[in-house]
């Protein structure tokens, strides 16, 4: 994997930042990138970083311990045996993809000193390569999710399936926004969701147009991750 020069990462970041509305939080997805790339982005003003794997993140977090004001976002599927560690390593988990995971996170968050912000990952189209709630299972889970006292469940994360037409992607983002609004207006749910975590390098403009509040950008900031397969995103490697 080739890491772009510091100046080039900085230039990409400045460009993207200028194009984003002030209300949209830019999360730099640094999975598969070395800590030197994260340092470069930090130097260009980024404070939010997204990682897919707990173990990989831990190594980089240790190398970057001097950058104490970074907010770390977990954006990949979380295995149950890594829940405890993740609660200490991350301030955000975007990939809450089951009720069981939410309950485990809540259990460990109770012992933690910081608030754990969570987004619920929703799958708006069938996609065997991804985890997440279907719309139906999410509605069924809302009462239980609303009971969790130690999590700040404040948003939805949506990842469209790979390779869709623009109009299909737009439709999915619009559905995500509509779902968020419905949840916020419904009586059975105590959740009040303000965040829509959607938009990656190839589709973030569409996501923002549909109401995204957090974009997760990797490639467009750091360059190619040396993909073996275009779906490496979905398996959250
Ligand atoms: C890898 C990844 C991203 C970033 O994707 P790019 O196309 O490189 O911007 C965003 N979100 C999730 C969940 C990812 O796994």
């Amino acid at each position: 994997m080739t890491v772009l020069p510091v100046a080039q990462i900085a230039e990409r970041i400045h460009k993207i930042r200028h194009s984003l509305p002030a209300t949209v939080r830019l999360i730099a997805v640094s999975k598969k990138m070395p800590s030197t790339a994260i340092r470069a982005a930090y130097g260009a003003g980024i404070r939010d970083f997204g990682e897919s794997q707990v173990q990989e993140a831990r190594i980089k977090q240790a190398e970057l311990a001097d950058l104490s004001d970074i907010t770390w976002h977990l954006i990949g599927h979380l295995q149950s045996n890594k829940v405890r560690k993740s609660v200490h390593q991350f301030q955000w988990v975007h990939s809450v993809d089951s009720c069981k995971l939410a309950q485990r996170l809540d259990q460990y968050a109770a012992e933690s000193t910081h608030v754990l912000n969570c987004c619920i990952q929703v799958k708006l189209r069938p996609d065997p390569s991804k985890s997440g709630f279907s719309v139906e299972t999410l509605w069924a889970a809302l009462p239980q999710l609303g009971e969790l006292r130690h999590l700040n469940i404040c948003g939805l994360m949506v990842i469209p399936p790979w390779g869709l037409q623009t109009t299909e992607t737009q439709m999915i983002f619009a559905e995500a926004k509509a779902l968020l609004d419905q949840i916020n207006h419904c009586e059975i749910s105590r959740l009040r969701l303000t965040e829509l975590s959607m938009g990656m390098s190839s589709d973030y403009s569409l996501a923002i147009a549909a109401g995204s509040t957090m974009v997760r950008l990797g490639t467009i900031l750091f360059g190619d991750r040396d993909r073996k397969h275009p779906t490496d995103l979905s398996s959250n490697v």
Side-chain angles (χ1 to χ4, degrees), residues 139 156 174-187 191-196 210-211:
W139 279 110
L156 301 178
E175 287 173 30
K177 170 67 172 146
L179 179 62
L180 185 95
D181 291 341
Q182 276 174 22
I183 291 170
N184 283 335
H185 290 109
C186 108
E187 293 289 320
L191 302 179
R192 288 301 169 259
L193 308 178
T194 54
E195 306 300 324
L196 263 181

Side-chain angles (χ1 to χ4, degrees), residues 29 31 52 75 157 159 200-202 216-220 225 227 233 236:
V29 174
K31 66 182 181 201
S52 284
I75 59 171
M157 175 167 84
I159 309 171
M200 315 196 301
S201 292
S202 58
R216 308 176 310 271
L217 304 184
T219 313
I220 202 168
R225 285 183 298 273
R227 293 178 182 167
L233 306 173
N236 288 326

Side-chain angles (χ1 to χ4, degrees), residues 119-130:
C119 293
I120 300 163
Q121 184 173 354
V122 192
K123 225 165 35 164
L124 294 172
R125 294 292 181 281
D127 187 344
S129 67
K130 283 191 199 76

